[in-house]
Structure formats: structure tokens, C-alpha cells
């Protein structure tokens, strides 16, 4: 299914959830584990970084005590305690932090990015909250009674996506427990100097109940955690659990600018120190047990083999047979030449009808509006509850999409104007695209983010761009572009059937109104090469003067320019249109350029470090020594103006493509 190979999931030691009465033993294990990490760092035996929770262990344990198997847990950079509290898997975690193949993520994740079953951590502050909400949404549909938990620190209260998510989780009544570890600091900064208002007020503003406790009153902490989790489980609504605590060590390894007096004051109150003072014999016995366990694990791991170089990546595309492009017969169309938007709708309708896991979320998608470009018109009526309007929260809705996908649903997230994909960039680049590799193939995130890109409608600088360039080259991400030749319903079907990785689907705004057709204006038939995400070709039967490569919304204008170039100057263009622009199958392009020696790349967006640059580089690399004559046509290097005339100057059109064809033919 996936285009990138991953090794089979790594299994750590058996998960052992602490039983009542074992809390302190587990707390000691967490503390000794992290003290050992700091020692290994100072001995130069570990690389990277580590954020210890020394002093805060009880908050993780209080939450672990009230979670159940099947619940999702999202953690942050300070995740060791959360993980060990929940699993007890010191061996798997230590191996991971040591970068060993037997680590829980095969050494790919390290200290901050760990995953096992339904426990995931990521070091991008706040990004896990909407993903947890997405999992909560999936649980609500498929596994009622289970909940999702997301740990954050109080510094992360500055992160906007947290509030987008609280709003959505409250509106959608999602069983989400946000655990706030309120240790008063964010790295070097006292949060009292950066976070305004009250913590409780922040949650309650969204109608989210906030439970409060401290680690210095263990009984109340455990009781409050239980009350909070049971409330979320029973009422199926979000809640927050705010746990006041203090970290006794530096933010990471040695970066501590807090006063020694302050730290000493909290060290004296530290629950484990208190336990040691009150029950020295029990404490000493448990400590020795944990020390022996960790010593044995370390000794074993120090003898383990180091990782070997991995060879991952897409398999080479097999040779293809070109055949005429056509509408997909399994998805009927009401018209013989439907418009692109109609085929998008047909495709989505087909998926909704055939796969109960499919769910569509985005702004203004429901009827009677049916989406800003009407791509979902009628679908919310026909599939009640499965096409959902969201608030204006691009980061959160993409994150919720990630969570839904992670939990087994097949979400399609609509970004109304592709320009706003910037707001969802963290969820695409640092979350969805990373998970499968970073967590050693244990999870898949088959989320589809549909974004209407493109200009030529006078919408100006912030509603007209093609921003896919910023996502090109992100490992783990697929970028597919609709055009008016390859049936959009087919591409939706393929994405759904053949990808278990995230996909950014580019839907050009002007394209929506075009008819899907299999002939170009010069009468030639469009061919496709039969790949899952086919490359299309306007064949020149070996007589092409210029290879023209384009994608998405530029296809129609390129065709028109090619028609005119032939009529006016008898220049024959061989046009190639990939439907998946990343990862890109360059073979058909290189094959054509090897024959023509002339390459014209046309893209609507900015050219620098863009699609054209990559196509050019691929041809130059694969055709060393060839006399390659390239030209690129792209947007002018300034923001897109509103004025109809100015916009024409800024964005490439038929005239620019024609001029480039003529220039190349003369070269
Ligand atoms: C989005 C983001 N911005 C900045 C950072 C760098 N960073 C890592 S931890 C941290 C402080 C987090 O503070 P808090 O949320 O209070 O958690 P704590 O470290 O106190 O557990 C910062 C700024 C990050 N990882 N992610």
C-alpha cells in the first residue's frame, strides 16, 4: 500500500500497567531511569537531548492509573515519565534513546518521539492536542467508552492550536482529557511572565471543565485524576486536568537559570524525598531493585549491535504502457463531459458510500452551502454526520484529520483556500508526514488534505497562491494535483485505495469549472501510463520538438499554447503531466527530454526552488553530457496583485507559454 517501505513494528518488553500500591516503585524507576540518562549524557554515551521529569513523576503516574487499555495517550518532549508510568518498558525506551535497533522506534525517534501501541510523543509543543482530539473523535464513533489524553506543559498554553482544539472538542463533545503539567517554567522562562489570565479561565472559556491538583498531595492528585478521566469517559466531553508540579532538574541537560534556593525549596517537598524520609527502608529496597533492573538493561544494551544503514524509498516505477485517458467507469457520471468539481464530488460521494470510515471535515462544507467551491454540495445531506463543518481552525482541523487517520478512519480535510495551508504546516510537515517513519512503521496516517490553490480570479496576494512548493520534498508526504484530463474521481479513488500515507491534494480553483476531457484542443488524444498516479502524455509520436512538463491548473493553458505554437510555427510540443508531483516519477519526462533535447517546465507558482527546478535537476542528472536546452515559465517573483491586468502580468498564461515554446524551438 504505502509507497515507502517501513520495517515491521518493533515490539518492546511487555506493557505492565502499575497496580495499586506500586506507584512509588514506578516513580522511583522513572527517576532512576532519568538520572541514568543524565549520567550517560555526561559520560558522552548518549547524543541528542533529553528532557527529564524528575520531580514531576507523580502526575504521569496519576494519569496512567486512570487510563485503560485502548485509550490513546499523546505526550510531549518530556515524555519518559509518561511512557514509563504507562508501560514500565524501561528496556525499550532506553534502547530507543541509545539509538539502537531494538528501541521502541528502532532508534529513529529518540528521546522525544516515541510510540508504542496507542502511546505517541512528539516534541512540537501543542501539536499533539488536535491529533488526540482526532483520535477521541474516532473513539467516539467506533470505540465508545475510550478516551484520548494529551499532556502539555504550561508554556504550551501560549500555543494557538490548543485553543482551536478546545473549541472544536467542546463543540463536538469529544472524549479528550488535556493534562496540563504546570511546572511554572517553559525552558528558561517563568510562565507567569508570559501567560496571561487564569489557567482555569482558559479552559472554561470553551465550556471545558478544569480539574486541579498538585503533586504534593498524592491522594488528592490520584482522586482528582480519576474524577477527571471518569468524567470524560462517562460524559463523553473534553476536560482538563491541571497538575501543579516542579521539575527539579534543568529543562534539558544543563540549561537551568532558576535559583538554587528555589530548587532546594521544592526538592525538600519532593514527594519521593518525602517518601524516602518517612519510609527509608521501603524506599531503599525499591531503589535497589530498580537500580539492579536498570543496570542489567544497560549492560545488555551496551552489548547490542548498532543500527545498520537503512535503504528506504520508493521502488522504481516499472515500465508502463500508454493508453487513452478516460473517466473511471466504476464511478458513474451524470454527464459525458462532467466538470472537474462534479467529478470531485462524484469521487467523494463514491468513497462515502463505500467506506464507512470516510469522513469529510472543513469550513462551510455542509449544505446548503456545500463548500466555497461547491465540491461537497449535497454530500452532508446524503451522508448525515459524515460531512462536518468546522470552525476556522486550519491547524486543528488538519490535526484532527491526522488523529482520525491514525485511529483508523479515512478523513478528508478541506482547506478552503490553499493559501491557508500555511496554518496547517506543522500538522502536515512535523506530524502526519513524520509518523510512519519516525515511529518505525507502527502507525499510518492516511489523511487527505484537499486544498484549492491558484489565482486568475482576482482574489489577490493571500487567496491565489500555489503554495505546494513549500511542501515538496517532505519525506512521507504525497502531493497529488488534479487536472482536467485525469479523472478527479479516479485520483480520489486511488489515493483512498493505494496510499496509507498523508496526501496533499491540489485542486486548482479555475480547474473546478473546466470539463474533464480526453482530447486536447489540437485534436490529439491524451494518454496515461497506467501508474497508480499516472503521468499523462500528449503524444508527438517521436516527432516532438519540445518536451513540455506541467501539472494541475496549468494544463489547459499549456495545451492551448501548444496548439497555437503548432498552428503558427509548426512547433510540436510533447506534453507530460504528472498527477503525483511528489514523489515525482521522472522517468517519462527524462525519456522524452532525451529525445527532444528541449525542456519547457510550466508552473503557476513561484519558480525558485520549485517544481521546475526539480524537473530540470532530474533531467540534468539523468542525462549527463546531453545538450539540454531548458526554459522555465512561472509566476513573477512578487506577491499576486488583485487588479485583473496586473494579475495577468504576474501569473503565467497562454502567451508566456507560447513565447517560451517559440524561444526554445529557435534555440
Ligand atoms: C512549537 C514549539 N516551540 C518551541 C519549542 C522549543 N521548546 C521545547 S520545550 C519548550 C518549553 C515547553 O514548556 P512547557 O510547555 O511549559 O513544558 P515543560 O518543558 O515545562 O514541561 C520549548 C520552548 C518546541 N519544541 N515546540
Amino acid at each position: 500500500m504505502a509507497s515507502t517501505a517501513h520495517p515491521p513494528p518493533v515490539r518492546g518488553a511487555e506493557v505492565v500497567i502499575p497496580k495499586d500500591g506500586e506507584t512509588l516503585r514506578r516513580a522511583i524507576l522513572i527517576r532512576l531511569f532519568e538520572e541514568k540518562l543524565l549520567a550517560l549524557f555526561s559520560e558522552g554515551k548518549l547524543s541528542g537531548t533529553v528532557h527529564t521529569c524528575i520531580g514531576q513523576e507523580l502526575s504521569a503516574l496519576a494519569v496512567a492509573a486512570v487510563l485503560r487499555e485502548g485509550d490513546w495517550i499523546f505526550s510531549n518532549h518530556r515524555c519518559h515519565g509518561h511512557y514509563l508510568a504507562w508501560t514500565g518498558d524501561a528496556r525499550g525506551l532506553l534502547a530507543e534513546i541509545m539509538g539502537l535497533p531494538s528501541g521502541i522506534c528502532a532508534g529513529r525517534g529518540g528521546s522525544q518521539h516515541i510510540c508504542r501501541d496507542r502511546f505517541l510523543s512528539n516534541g512540537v509543543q501543542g501539536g499533539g492536542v488536535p491529533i488526540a482530539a482526532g483520535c477521541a473523535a474516532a473513539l467516539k464513533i467506533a470505540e465508545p467508552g475510550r478516551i484520548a489524553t494529551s499532556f502539555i506543559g504550561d508554556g504550551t498554553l501560549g500555543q494557538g492550536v490548543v485553543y482551536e482544539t478546545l473549541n472544536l472538542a467542546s463543540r463536538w463533545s469529544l472524549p479528550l482529557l488535556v493534562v496540563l503539567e504546570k511546572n511554572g517554567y517553559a525552558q528558561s522562562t517563568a510562565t507567569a511572565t508570559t501567560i496571561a489570565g487564569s489557567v482555569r479561565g482558559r479552559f472554561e472559556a470553551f465550556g471545558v471543565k478544569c480539574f486541579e491538583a498538585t503533586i504534593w498531595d498524592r491522594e488528592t492528585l490520584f482522586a482528582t485524576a480519576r474524577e477527571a478521566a471518569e468524567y470524560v469517559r462517562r460524559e463523553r466531553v473534553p476536560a482538563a486536568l491541571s497538575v501543579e508540579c516542579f521539575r527539579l532538574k534543568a529543562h534539558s541537560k544543563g540549561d537551568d537559570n532558576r535559583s538554587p534556593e528555589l530548587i532546594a525549596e521544592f526538592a525538600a517537598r519532593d514527594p519521593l524525598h518525602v517518601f524516602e524520609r518517612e519510609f527509608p527502608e521501603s524506599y531503599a529496597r525499591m531503589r535497589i531493585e530498580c537500580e539492579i533492573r536498570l543496570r542489567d538493561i544497560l549492560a545488555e544494551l551496551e552489548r547490542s549491535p548498532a543500527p545498520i544503514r537503512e535503504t528506504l524509498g520508493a521502488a522504481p516505477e516499472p515500465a508502463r504502457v500508454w493508453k487513452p485517458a478516460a473517466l473511471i467507469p466504476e464511478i458513474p457520471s451524470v454527464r459525458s463531459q462532467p466538470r472537474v468539481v462534479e467529478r470531485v464530488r462524484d469521487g467523494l460521494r463514491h468513497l462515502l458510500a463505500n467506506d464507512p470510515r470516510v469522513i469529510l471535515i472543513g469550513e462551510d462544507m455542509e449544505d446548503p452551502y456545500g463548500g466555497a467551491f461547491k465540491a461537497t454540495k449535497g454530500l452532508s445531506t446524503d451522508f448525515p454526520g459524515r460531512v462536518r463543518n468546522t470552525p476556522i481552525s486550519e491547524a486543528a482541523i488538519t490535526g484532527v484529520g491526522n488523529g482520525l487517520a491514525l485511529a483508523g478512519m479515512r478523513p478528508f480535510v478541506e482547506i478552503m483556500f490553499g493559501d491557508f495551508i500555511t496554518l496547517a504546516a506543522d500538522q502536515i510537515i512535523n506530524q502526519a508526514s513524520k509518523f510512519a517513519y519516525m515511529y518505525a512503521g507502527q502507525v499510518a496516517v492516511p489523511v487527505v488534505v484537499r486544498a484549492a490553490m491558484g489565482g486568475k480570479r482576482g482574489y489577490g496576494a493571500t487567496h491565489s497562491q500555489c503554495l505546494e512548493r513549500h511542501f515538496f520534498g517532505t519525506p512521507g508526504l504525497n502531493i497529488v494535483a488534479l487536472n482536467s484530463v485525469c479523472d478527479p474521481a479516479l485520483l480520489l479513488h486511488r489515493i483512498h485505495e493505494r496510499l496509507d500515507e498523508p496526501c496533499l491534494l491540489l485542486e486548482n480553483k479555475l480547474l473546478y469549472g473546466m470539463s474533464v476531457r480526453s482530447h486536447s484542443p489540437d485534436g490529439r488524444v491524451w494518454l496515461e501510463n497506467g501508474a497508480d498516479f499516472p503521468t499523462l502524455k500528449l503524444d508527438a509520436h517521436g516527432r516532438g520538438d519540445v518536451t513540455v512538463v506541467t501539472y494541475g491548473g496549468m494544463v489547459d493553458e499549456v495545451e492551448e499554447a501548444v496548439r497555437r505554437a503548432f498552428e503558427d510555427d509548426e512547433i510540436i510540443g510533447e506534453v507530460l503531466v504528472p498527477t503525483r508531483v511528489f514523489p515525482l516519477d521522472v522517468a517519462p519526462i527524462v525519456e522524452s527530454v532525451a529525445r527532444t533535447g528541449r525542456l519547457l517546465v510550466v508552473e503557476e507558482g513561484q519558480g525558485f526552488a520549485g517544481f521546475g527546478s526539480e524537473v530540470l535537476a532530474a533531467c540534468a542528472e539523468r542525462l549527463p553530457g546531453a545538450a539540454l536546452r531548458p526554459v522555465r515559465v512561472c509566476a513573477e517573483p512578487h506577491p499576486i496583485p488583485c487588479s485583473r491586468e496586473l494579475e495577468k502580468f504576474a501569473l503565467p498564461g497562454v502567451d508566456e507559454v507560447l513565447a517560451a515554446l517559440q524561444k526554445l524551438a529557435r534555440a
Side-chain angles (χ1 to χ4, degrees):
M1 280 242 284
S3 59
T4 307
H6 294 290
V10 179
R11 308 300 333 163
E14 198 187 332
V15 169
V16 184
I17 302 169
K19 296 190 197 69
D20 288 351
E22 290 194 349
T23 305
L24 287 168
R25 190 190 308 269
R26 188 64 67 90
I28 292 169
L29 175 73
I30 296 170
R31 179 153 309 179
L32 294 187
F33 182 93
E34 294 202 315
E35 284 175 352
K36 179 53 80 185
L37 292 184
L38 293 174
L40 290 171
F41 265 108
S42 55
E43 290 163 26
K45 290 187 176 164
L46 290 181
S47 67
T49 190
V50 71
H51 305 86
T52 68
C53 69
I54 292 172
Q56 304 185 177
E57 296 89 347
L58 288 194
S59 86
L61 283 155
V63 175
V66 295
L67 294 180
R68 299 186 193 153
E69 251 174 279
D71 290 342
W72 285 90
I73 307 166
F74 287 80
S75 175
N76 55 5
H77 60 304
R78 213 171 290 291
C79 55
H80 312 148
H82 304 152
Y83 180 75
L84 292 175
W86 177 239
T87 66
D89 176 21
R91 191 201 171 284
L93 181 58
L94 187 57
E96 182 58 35
I97 297 170
M98 290 171 77
L100 297 173
S102 61
I104 40 179
C105 296
R108 294 176 181 182
S111 159
Q112 302 190 73
H113 315 110
I114 57 180
C115 171
R116 173 151 181 195
D117 303 322
R118 292 185 171 188
F119 181 105
L120 290 87
S121 77
N122 193 346
V124 186
Q125 304 308 323
V129 185
I131 306 179
C135 288
L139 291 176
K140 187 172 168 164
I141 296 166
E143 300 172 53
R146 292 186 165 152
I147 70 172
T149 301
S150 180
F151 284 93
I152 57 171
D154 48 338
T156 302
L157 289 174
Q159 194 61 275
V161 73
V162 172
Y163 304 100
E164 291 186 10
T165 307
L166 288 175
N167 179 55
L168 200 64
S170 181
R171 272 267 53 109
W172 287 5
S173 298
L174 301 179
L176 170 71
L177 179 64
V178 176
V179 180
L180 175 73
E181 296 189 301
K182 197 166 154 257
N183 63 16
Y185 286 85
Q187 202 146 329
S188 73
T189 306
T191 48
T193 65
T194 52
I195 301 296
S198 77
V199 166
R200 177 181 280 275
R202 283 169 178 255
F203 291 105
E204 287 180 349
F206 298 97
V208 173
K209 200 165 168 179
C210 180
F211 296 81
E212 289 173 307
T214 85
I215 52 152
W216 301 291
D217 176 351
R218 181 152 57 98
E219 267 179 34
T220 312
L221 168 64
F222 276 65
T224 310
R226 181 160 304 282
E227 201 189 334
E230 276 173 7
Y231 168 77
V232 172
R233 220 179 277 286
R234 186 181 64 245
E235 305 293 327
R236 298 189 193 160
V237 292
L241 170 65
S242 170
V243 182
E244 212 178 315
C245 52
F246 191 85
R247 71 171 149 76
L248 292 174
K249 296 286 181 190
H251 165 71
S252 48
K253 285 170 288 182
D255 46 349
D256 206 343
N257 54 337
R258 300 168 304 170
S259 76
E261 294 76 29
L262 180 75
I263 296 169
E265 190 189 311
F266 278 99
R269 298 170 62 196
D270 168 50
L272 280 184
H273 289 163
V274 172
F275 175 53
E276 184 180 6
R277 275 201 304 273
E278 289 178 359
F279 303 98
E281 281 171 18
S282 305
Y283 178 85
R285 199 179 55 251
M286 290 183 192
R287 188 181 167 100
I288 288 167
E289 269 172 38
C290 292
E291 272 171 353
I292 292 172
R293 182 166 161 206
L294 289 174
R295 189 198 61 200
D296 291 350
I297 290 172
L298 185 61
E300 180 210 329
L301 294 180
E302 282 183 328
R303 292 191 302 271
S304 305
I308 52 166
R309 183 189 279 266
E310 299 168 322
T311 44
L312 294 179
E317 292 278 337
R320 304 286 181 188
V321 179
W322 295 92
K323 58 177 197 285
L327 293 180
I328 178 173
E330 298 93 306
I331 305 176
S333 163
V334 278
R335 300 202 240 164
S336 62
Q337 281 216 326
R339 291 185 303 137
V340 167
V341 70
E342 291 163 342
R343 286 308 277 167
V344 171
R345 205 182 299 140
D346 288 345
L348 293 172
R349 177 184 297 285
H350 180 81
L351 297 179
L352 283 161
N354 289 287
D355 185 346
R357 301 169 305 164
V358 170
I359 183 160
L360 274 46
I361 61 173
E363 294 153 26
D364 301 286
M365 295 176 85
E366 289 179 28
D367 292 334
Y369 196 65
F373 301 100
K374 311 302 164 208
T376 53
K377 202 158 179 57
L379 299 183
S380 67
T381 305
D382 294 347
F383 302 94
R386 293 174 60 198
V387 182
R388 299 287 298 267
N389 277 353
T390 65
I392 305 167
S393 306
E394 283 75 9
I397 62 177
T398 309
V400 165
N402 289 345
L404 283 163
L406 196 61
M409 304 292 286
R410 301 305 301 257
F412 287 72
V413 177
E414 181 173 295
I415 303 292
M416 183 191 281
F417 282 84
D419 308 70
F420 313 146
I421 197 103
T422 51
L423 297 155
D426 174 56
Q427 288 300 328
I428 297 171
I429 296 174
N430 286 329
Q431 313 280 346
S433 304
K434 298 280 183 287
F435 282 10
Y437 175 84
M438 188 164 84
Y439 301 138
Q442 297 178 84
V443 296
V445 190
V447 65
V448 183
V449 181
R450 301 174 39 237
M453 300 282 186
K456 307 186 183 178
R457 287 178 65 143
Y459 291 167
T462 62
H463 289 61
S464 309
Q465 302 164 90
C466 292
L467 291 186
E468 56 271 22
R469 192 169 59 100
H470 301 291
F471 295 83
F472 285 152
T474 303
L477 179 66
N478 293 262
I479 306 181
V480 174
L482 298 186
N483 58 58
S484 50
V485 176
C486 187
D487 185 358
L490 168 81
L491 287 178
L492 283 162
H493 186 63
R494 288 279 163 81
I495 290 169
H496 178 259
E497 236 190 9
R498 315 250 166 114
L499 284 184
D500 67 352
E501 293 181 334
C503 179
L504 176 56
L505 181 63
L506 310 173
E507 302 183 1
N508 188 285
K509 293 183 206 85
L510 275 192
L511 196 62
Y512 284 134
M514 310 270 185
S515 294
V516 183
R517 71 251 149 37
S518 51
H519 287 73
S520 81
D522 63 11
R524 280 190 276 168
V525 176
W526 276 101
L527 303 177
E528 61 111 330
N529 70 350
D532 282 353
F533 297 98
T535 296
L536 309 168
K537 178 157 80 168
L538 206 46
D539 204 2
H541 305 290
R543 294 186 294 117
D545 299 307
V546 180
T547 300
V548 188
V549 183
T550 192
Y551 70 93
M554 285 307 298
V555 172
D556 298 77
E557 289 176 272
V558 164
E559 277 181 314
E560 179 56 16
V562 165
R563 183 188 70 78
R564 278 170 48 186
F566 183 70
E567 277 186 13
D568 298 351
D569 301 299
E570 295 195 359
I571 300 166
I572 303 176
E574 178 163 300
V575 186
L576 289 162
V577 177
T579 53
R580 181 162 66 177
V581 287
F582 182 77
L584 179 66
D585 175 15
V586 293
I589 298 171
V590 173
E591 187 271 326
S592 172
V593 173
R595 274 187 284 105
T596 62
R598 294 181 177 89
L599 171 64
L600 170 59
V601 194
V602 181
E603 63 195 309
E604 187 183 321
Q606 290 291 317
F608 188 87
F611 175 75
S613 324
E614 280 304 318
V615 170
L616 224 90
C619 290
E621 277 172 1
R622 286 165 180 78
L623 300 169
L628 178 62
R629 277 153 293 183
V631 170
R632 284 193 290 166
V633 170
C634 54
E636 289 292 316
H638 57 72
I640 300 167
C642 268
S643 143
R644 188 191 305 237
E645 286 69 28
L646 289 178
E647 192 185 27
K648 268 196 198 143
F649 296 134
L651 297 179
V654 176
D655 291 344
E656 287 74 22
V657 179
L658 180 61
L661 278 167
Q662 290 164 337
K663 180 176 161 193
L664 260 178
R666 283 195 301 271

